[in-house]
Amino acid sequence: MFCGSAWAPSALLGHCKHVHPDMKRDADAQSKLNEVVLEYEIVSEVDLPEFNGIPIEGLMEYKDGLICRAPGCNYACRKASVMDKHWSQSHRSSRVPVQDRHHTGVVQCFFTGTCQRYFAVNPSLKEVDAEGLYATFIRDYLPSLPPLQMLPPDTYREVPPLLAHTGWNLHLDTFVTDDVKRKALVASAIRPLDSEKDALYGQLHDWVFEYMDSIRDIAQHKVPYTLLRYILQYPW
């Protein structure tokens, strides 16, 4: 928690000795650590978290991360030379220009040293309903969109081009300074619970599909007939 990194049990005490020399250690620190490792089944390797998901609490967030753009690839690192090596090994047949092979973003890493494996995270998902529409959009859909080729603002007072075009800063002006209105707006977009937990709105999923089926039936069988009837009734 001091340095925002995780260490394998075999390297933890050595790390504390060299980086945190002021920390007090008992003579039997190693045996106590071994007991903790056995009791809680602490491992030295972990699977990477969900790509572009919520940051892992306690780990350092690096804003200079490089995230691979190859379809279906979740590789991340912090050096251009490492990313180039990754492409030469994993995407050798690709003809993507060098400047389009990765984009910058926030990354984290569980273990330092030889076991470094960075993974992309999205800090905007903090304190957001993991099953809500916003989190679903950010996590599942947004990474598939190509980046917008827009120039960054020249000064911190300048409104970014996309925001200036959409006008959302003006539309949401009152929500920025009003915490109650902002929370109400977020709550309005939260996906309802399933029917077992919410007897009323939990049926929304079925209602939507029933509505879509009805609209499809009308479009296929009723609209052409209605138009034909009007044409026959008003031939001019």
Side-chain angles (χ1 to χ4, degrees):
M1 301 300 291
F2 286 109
C3 52
S5 62
W7 288 83
S10 60
L12 178 60
L13 294 182
H15 163 74
C16 293
K17 179 179 180 180
H18 292 94
V19 182
H20 309 292
D22 295 335
M23 293 181 60
K24 295 182 179 180
R25 296 185 302 275
D26 297 335
D28 57 347
Q30 185 63 58
S31 60
K32 290 182 178 179
L33 177 61
N34 294 339
E35 294 177 1
V36 172
V37 170
L38 291 175
E39 181 178 356
Y40 294 97
E41 299 181 352
I42 297 176
V43 297
S44 298
E45 294 183 4
V46 293
D47 294 331
L48 294 184
E50 182 180 28
F51 176 71
N52 209 39
I54 301 175
I56 304 299
E57 183 180 357
L59 292 182
M60 183 76 70
E61 296 179 16
Y62 300 98
K63 298 181 180 180
D64 59 349
L66 304 179
I67 304 169
C68 183
R69 280 183 178 169
C73 183
N74 297 339
Y75 184 80
C77 62
R78 294 178 61 201
K79 294 182 179 180
S81 59
V82 177
M83 180 60 71
D84 292 340
K85 183 178 180 181
H86 163 71
W87 270 79
S88 65
Q89 295 177 345
S90 303
H91 313 295
R92 185 178 304 173
S93 59
S94 177
R95 298 183 179 180
V96 177
V98 175
Q99 65 273 15
D100 297 331
R101 292 180 177 179
H102 67 267
H103 66 273
T104 58
V106 181
V107 298
Q108 289 183 305
C109 177
F110 273 116
F111 300 112
T112 58
T114 57
C115 298
Q116 279 184 325
R117 293 178 63 193
Y118 289 98
F119 51 92
V121 296
N122 194 324
S124 63
L125 294 178
K126 291 180 180 178
E127 301 180 3
V128 172
D129 178 16
E131 298 301 326
L133 295 178
Y134 177 73
T136 302
F137 172 79
I138 292 293
R139 181 181 62 246
D140 300 335
Y141 182 71
L142 189 59
S144 65
L145 298 179
L148 294 174
Q149 301 298 329
M150 287 189 174
L151 296 175
D154 294 330
T155 67
Y156 72 94
R157 291 183 177 274
E158 181 183 351
V159 178
L162 179 61
L163 192 58
H165 176 74
T166 59
W168 281 107
N169 56 322
L170 303 177
H171 179 68
L172 299 175
D173 180 39
T174 58
F175 292 89
V176 176
T177 56
D178 192 324
D179 187 58
V180 175
K181 293 183 64 175
R182 187 166 60 252
K183 290 182 178 179
L185 179 64
V186 174
S188 66
I190 294 177
R191 185 167 57 188
L193 301 174
D194 56 39
S195 57
E196 296 182 358
K197 298 180 181 179
D198 189 334
L200 180 59
Y201 294 106
Q203 305 176 62
L204 184 60
H205 178 273
D206 295 331
W207 293 342
V208 170
F209 277 92
E210 182 180 349
Y211 173 79
M212 296 301 294
D213 288 338
S214 299
I215 293 297
R216 181 177 58 185
D217 180 70
I218 293 173
Q220 291 178 344
H221 302 101
K222 297 182 179 180
V223 172
Y225 171 77
T226 302
L227 292 176
L228 179 61
R229 187 182 65 180
Y230 282 148
I231 292 175
L232 295 176
Q233 185 175 357
Y234 306 103
W236 62 85

